[in-house]
Amino acid sequence: MRLPGLTDPHVHVRDLQQSHKEDWFSATAAALAGGVTTILAMPNTQPPLVDEVALTQYEVAARARAACDYGIYFGAGPGNVGAAAGLASRSVGLKLYLDATFGDLKMSGLDALVAHCAAWPKDRPLVAHAEEQQTAAVILAAHLAGRSVHVCHVARESEIALIRSARERGLAVTCEVCPHHLFLIEGARPARQFEVVAKNARGWSGAYAEVRPRLQTQADVDALWTNLDVIDCFATDHAPHTITEKESTAPPPGFPGLETALPLWLTAVHAGLLDLDDVIARMHAGPRRIFNLPEQPATWVDLDAEATWQPIGAEQHTRAAWTPFEGWALRGRVTAVTLRGERVYDSGQILAQPGFGHNVVG
Ligand code: DOR
Ligand code: ZN
Ligand code: ZN
């Protein structure tokens, strides 16, 4: 079976100073192994991507090392409203962190939120980590500024209900969900829909189950499945941290996800929870529309849709050598990827050279 090239609009790459977790090559290698030919990279990096110097450093690093196509988000802060807007043409979008998560980019207070909503160009994507009340705050602030907003990693019943009601009133709100919020509940236990698939799961728990937004209840998972029609994109929030870091006294939140996302969605297709067209709409057409992404000519993903396999963390291309889905019996596997006419992935091997990737805004 063949799919078009997929886009993951939410990836944490970690180059430059946290490249022991991931760099542009390992992140894009993981993407290709998961059938993803474009990644959009988040700005909660070290150094944080909140000024032109850092943006230039990341552009240079990506140009040298990325194996698939990519875009780079700029990070909003209280003091960079004008600078961000001035660099909009070099960024795939502006990311607002309205809740605490990994890194220091949480922006508090209403003033900075309103100022970024007003200054960031209306035809460029604005994306937000905005949980619970912050979901309402960012939707209203964007609406009052006469612009759209994309809500990242929706995890709760209350949030998807709010987004549905905003959409029904014609507000320009789009959103994404991550596999972990539809396949796992608290403690990284399998959601009821997947207990059979996960019967031999290794069962990573404790700090390994920590992610932001947190894993929620079965009722939240059910609400996301029920409201798939208002979900525009499937994103991974691929957030690599090493096993040593997860086992430390201050474990960071986040899961790697690039190499398991498409197989999980295909497993859900097999279980009758969605159609293949629903997956393509959310991993190809949806991100392309929302993030104004260029066509990738002669690009496709070959799959063995029937293959049953178990992900093994240590065999992944990401430097986070674990996965919360270790031992799950997934149905459907990427066999090869062709990007702009070149075979870039084949049977576990990355064939693209570092630097093969193009910047989608470049
Ligand atoms: O769990 C998370 N980890 N959530 C985020 O929002 C950030 C991410 C990271 O960068 O590790
Ligand atoms: Zn986030
Ligand atoms: Zn994230």
Side-chain angles (χ1 to χ4, degrees):
M1 190 198 294
R2 195 162 265 194
L3 301 183
L6 306 176
T7 292
D8 187 341
H10 194 142
V11 173
H12 296 273
V13 171
R14 317 291 196 204
D15 234 327
L16 305 156
Q17 292 171 19
Q18 294 175 326
S19 56
H20 66 284
K21 295 175 190 276
E22 205 78 297
D23 70 8
W24 278 104
F25 186 72
S26 61
T28 50
L32 290 173
V36 170
T37 52
T38 307
I39 62 167
L40 306 187
M42 286 294 167
N44 63 333
T45 45
Q46 220 32 266
L49 227 158
V50 292
D51 56 35
E52 185 170 11
V53 172
L55 176 59
T56 303
Q57 287 175 340
Y58 284 98
E59 287 169 337
V60 168
R63 198 175 308 127
R65 291 199 276 279
C68 73
D69 293 350
Y70 58 89
I72 302 174
Y73 289 101
F74 200 80
N80 71 356
V81 175
L87 293 165
S89 65
R90 285 165 59 186
S91 318
V92 76
L94 180 70
K95 174 73 184 276
L96 307 174
Y97 284 94
L98 303 182
D99 293 284
T101 181
F102 183 64
D104 305 319
L105 290 189
K106 178 174 184 276
M107 207 175 64
S108 341
L110 191 53
D111 288 346
L113 169 60
V114 168
H116 277 291
C117 284
W120 186 250
K122 291 195 178 25
D123 60 348
R124 314 282 307 172
L126 179 77
V127 312
H129 182 135
E131 302 183 41
E132 300 193 280
Q133 296 96 319
Q134 299 293 357
T135 315
V138 81
I139 291 173
L140 182 64
H143 179 63
L144 295 179
R147 60 154 310 117
S148 63
V149 63
H150 177 79
V151 182
C152 297
H153 45 44
V154 178
R156 296 175 179 85
E157 183 172 11
S158 57
E159 295 160 354
I160 199 66
L162 187 84
I163 290 168
R164 171 174 286 286
S165 101
R167 289 266 275 254
E168 286 171 358
R169 284 161 180 76
L171 272 65
V173 183
T174 58
C175 71
E176 69 190 29
V177 293
C178 306
H180 48 265
H181 292 125
L182 280 95
F183 288 76
L184 300 174
I185 58 169
E186 305 127 301
R189 287 174 293 134
R192 192 176 306 126
Q193 292 85 335
F194 302 102
E195 277 167 358
V196 174
V197 174
K199 69 177 188 303
N200 295 320
R202 166 177 174 147
W204 295 97
S205 57
Y208 289 98
E210 285 297 329
V211 64
R212 301 291 178 272
R214 289 191 165 84
L215 297 173
Q216 305 290 325
T217 66
Q218 182 65 47
D220 292 294
V221 169
D222 291 342
L224 296 181
W225 281 108
T226 308
N227 286 284
L228 268 186
D229 59 321
V230 289
I231 293 165
D232 304 277
C233 303
F234 291 157
T236 58
D237 197 1
H238 176 82
H241 300 289
T242 64
I243 288 179
T244 311
E245 290 163 341
K246 280 289 194 182
E247 298 202 342
S248 71
T249 49
F255 302 155
L258 278 164
E259 286 155 273
T260 45
L262 177 61
L264 283 163
W265 297 121
L266 294 172
T267 301
V269 170
H270 198 259
L273 291 161
L274 75 175
D275 298 333
L276 192 59
D277 286 346
D278 295 323
V279 177
I280 297 170
R282 289 164 184 77
M283 298 186 81
H284 175 74
R288 175 157 298 174
R289 181 184 80 247
I290 293 165
F291 297 96
N292 313 314
L293 302 177
E295 285 292 326
Q296 292 176 306
T299 296
W300 60 83
V301 177
D302 290 311
L303 296 176
D304 180 346
E306 295 306 317
T308 301
W309 65 288
Q310 300 196 345
I312 298 171
E315 291 180 1
Q316 299 188 121
H317 294 82
T318 171
R319 295 203 175 126
W322 68 283
T323 159
F325 301 102
E326 186 128 18
W328 285 46
L330 301 184
R331 188 77 179 243
R333 191 163 202 182
V334 175
T335 53
V337 179
T338 302
L339 171 55
R340 286 181 272 104
E342 297 266 336
R343 181 60 59 98
V344 287
Y345 175 81
D346 201 338
S347 316
Q349 302 303 313
I350 304 297
L351 305 177
Q353 293 303 311
F356 182 73
H358 288 178
N359 191 334
V360 295
V361 299

